[in-house]
Amino acid sequence: MGLMVDVLDRLEAQDLQAASQAALAENSAIALIELLEMLWSCEPRSADAVIDAVLQRLQQLRALR
């Protein structure tokens, strides 16, 4: 839940770079998937960069398995 709150706070502050960095630093695939679901369903226009970062991080985590 911490990741989602952190990213939403940063999106609200329009700090897309910090929101994306928070996603890229996350090590929990479950937290990333939950964030992705929330961003996808809400569809805030500013979320595109964060969605890209979430997908990138999920690919990185998958490669580490």
Side-chain angles (χ1 to χ4, degrees):
M1 199 65 165
L3 173 65
M4 197 174 302
V5 171
D6 189 28
V7 169
L8 289 176
D9 285 345
R10 291 166 192 238
L11 284 175
E12 186 176 343
Q14 297 183 358
D15 190 350
L16 300 178
Q17 184 175 4
S20 295
Q21 288 300 321
L24 289 171
E26 181 59 48
N27 289 319
S28 169
I30 294 170
L32 289 165
I33 291 169
E34 289 174 348
L35 177 61
L36 183 62
E37 289 176 341
M38 189 275 310
L39 291 172
W40 199 273
S41 66
C42 294
E43 297 182 34
R45 292 197 183 270
S46 60
D48 286 347
V50 181
I51 289 172
D52 291 342
V54 169
L55 293 172
Q56 178 183 349
R57 185 60 181 150
L58 285 170
Q59 287 178 326
Q60 291 170 350
L61 292 174
R62 183 171 184 231
L64 294 174
R65 290 183 64 192

